[in-house]
Amino acid sequence: MPPWIAALGATLLMQSVASFMTQSLPVVAPLITASAGLAPERVGNFSSLVAFGTVLFLLLGGPFLARLGPVRTLQAGAAICAAAMLTAGFGTVPALALASLLLGIGYGPSPPAGSRILAATAPKEHRTLIFSVKQAGAPLGGAMAGLISAPIAASAGWPMALLVAVVTAIAAAAVIQPLRGMLDAERDPTRRIGLRDVLSPHSIAAPIAALRIDPLLPKLVALSVSFALCQGCLFSFTVTWLVETRGMGLVQAGSTFAVMQVAGVVARVLLGWIADRTGNATRNLVVQAFVASGSVVALALLPAGAPLAALMLLCGLAGFVGASWNGISLAEVARVSPPDRVGDVTSGSTLFVFLGYVAGPSAFSLLVTWSGGWVLPMLLVAGQLAIVAALVGAALRR
């Protein structure tokens, strides 16, 4: 079996599990927030803490990735996610805040470790497709959350749903252990990971400084951040929005959320293949951004009495175009990066992306409270994506 197949299998598995862990929290959010005595839209604050935790890893995790190797770092991330879910089981506001932060830290290894593994093993002529297949694990994990966590939470209680997530993370970490010898062969066992080394200005600045390597990177990062704002709000609030404004039960809302995620899985593979064929992935992303913006506008303005089929179709379209950009973006980042800097450049670009995930849900939550509804926040999310896509498209033409 070619090494890239084993590498893709391992990274796809861990990406799926990491996403399953982080998306299980917003999926069962209506039950958790009610148990904690919080307003439903406060789930946005927890989603922002998840993203902030990922930002912390992307800033400080480079030495750990170099010392441990990508497979061991992915295993450590899964263990941290498991600990986060156990912490969330206490159900208090401080516990949920800490759990959200730990979930983000545990998710953090997925982008740089996965990119490092695939950049070293993937055939160049199929690189975007392979990266997109790996990133298909993100909506696949979200679909698992909608189809598994929501029914378990509804029938057996949300603590049981969190326990299932814990078992899943531990099992996945065990499954990829046999690949460590092959995929961690280039790790640097002499790399220091003491507190002083991790917090050194050089280590912290390395991911951000790496974004100067190629002039395409700032444009790509700007578009990716705008996509992240949109996707972060979609994933954080869809279930709560359906329950609060459409009168759905948790299981039906979770199934609709799963449709959005599955559409993203299909789109990541299909659009990644198209990007390889066209040879201009960034321009493809600009077109995709305009379509994603339009789908969110359509969702926001859909009448309350609209047929369920129309709602499902629009959610599927939003997932198809709004949650399938990640793999294409990461493949472009790896393409323009020197082989020995893939980890740093990926961390730098993903760091800014997750700042979008931090800002988006929290701002959306505040706007829902301030405006007294969901329409204006959704229109603003769609508008910012269209504006950034127009600016990046104009820059590419120049």
Side-chain angles (χ1 to χ4, degrees), residues 244-317:
E244 293 294 312
T245 69
R246 304 287 160 163
M248 285 189 178
L250 183 63
V251 174
Q252 188 179 27
S255 298
T256 306
F257 181 77
V259 168
M260 178 182 288
Q261 301 285 344
V262 170
V265 173
V266 175
R268 291 187 188 213
V269 177
L270 177 61
L271 297 180
W273 178 82
I274 291 173
D276 275 332
R277 301 283 74 76
T278 61
N280 199 325
T282 306
R283 186 165 55 195
N284 290 11
L285 284 176
V286 170
V287 175
Q288 185 176 335
F290 284 119
V291 180
S293 176
S295 71
V296 176
V297 170
L299 270 177
L301 300 180
L302 187 69
L308 177 61
L311 180 61
M312 298 278 278
L313 180 63
L314 283 176
C315 284
L317 177 61

Side-chain angles (χ1 to χ4, degrees), residues 59-299:
L59 270 177
L60 307 176
F64 294 97
L65 180 58
R67 170 71 176 267
L68 301 176
V71 171
R72 180 65 85 218
T73 308
L74 288 171
Q75 290 175 312
I80 293 171
C81 283
M85 287 304 197
L86 291 174
T87 303
F90 288 100
T92 64
V93 173
L96 291 171
L98 177 58
S100 299
L101 186 65
L102 289 175
L103 273 176
I105 294 172
Y107 184 91
S110 296
S115 289
R116 181 168 163 180
I117 290 172
L118 295 181
T121 58
K124 292 184 178 179
E125 64 271 20
H126 302 302
R127 173 174 284 172
T128 305
L129 174 60
I130 290 171
F131 270 77
S132 294
V133 170
K134 177 260 183 183
Q135 283 302 120
L140 180 60
M144 290 166 54
L147 294 175
I148 297 173
S149 296
I152 291 176
S155 60
W158 60 264
M160 181 58 68
L162 300 185
L163 184 59
V164 169
V166 170
V167 174
T168 302
I170 295 172
V175 165
I176 66 170
Q177 174 59 28
L179 298 177
R180 191 181 180 230
M182 176 179 68
L183 299 180
D184 281 357
E186 296 182 2
R187 73 185 185 92
D188 180 8
T190 65
R191 182 67 178 266
R192 299 173 63 89
I193 54 175
L195 188 62
R196 180 177 298 178
D197 305 291
V198 172
L199 296 179
S200 71
H202 175 74
S203 293
I204 294 174
I208 299 173
L211 296 179
R212 302 173 187 158
I213 286 174
D214 189 278
L216 178 64
L217 286 170
K219 303 178 185 67
L220 190 59
V221 169
L223 188 57
S224 297
V225 169
S226 187
F227 264 118
L229 283 166
C230 181
Q231 181 182 323
C233 292
L234 281 174
F235 283 7
S236 296
F237 292 100
T238 293
V239 171
T240 301
W241 175 68
L242 291 171
V243 171
E244 293 294 312
T245 69
R246 304 287 160 163
M248 285 189 178
L250 183 63
V251 174
Q252 188 179 27
S255 298
T256 306
F257 181 77
V259 168
M260 178 182 288
Q261 301 285 344
V262 170
V265 173
V266 175
R268 291 187 188 213
V269 177
L270 177 61
L271 297 180
W273 178 82
I274 291 173
D276 275 332
R277 301 283 74 76
T278 61
N280 199 325
T282 306
R283 186 165 55 195
N284 290 11
L285 284 176
V286 170
V287 175
Q288 185 176 335
F290 284 119
V291 180
S293 176
S295 71
V296 176
V297 170
L299 270 177

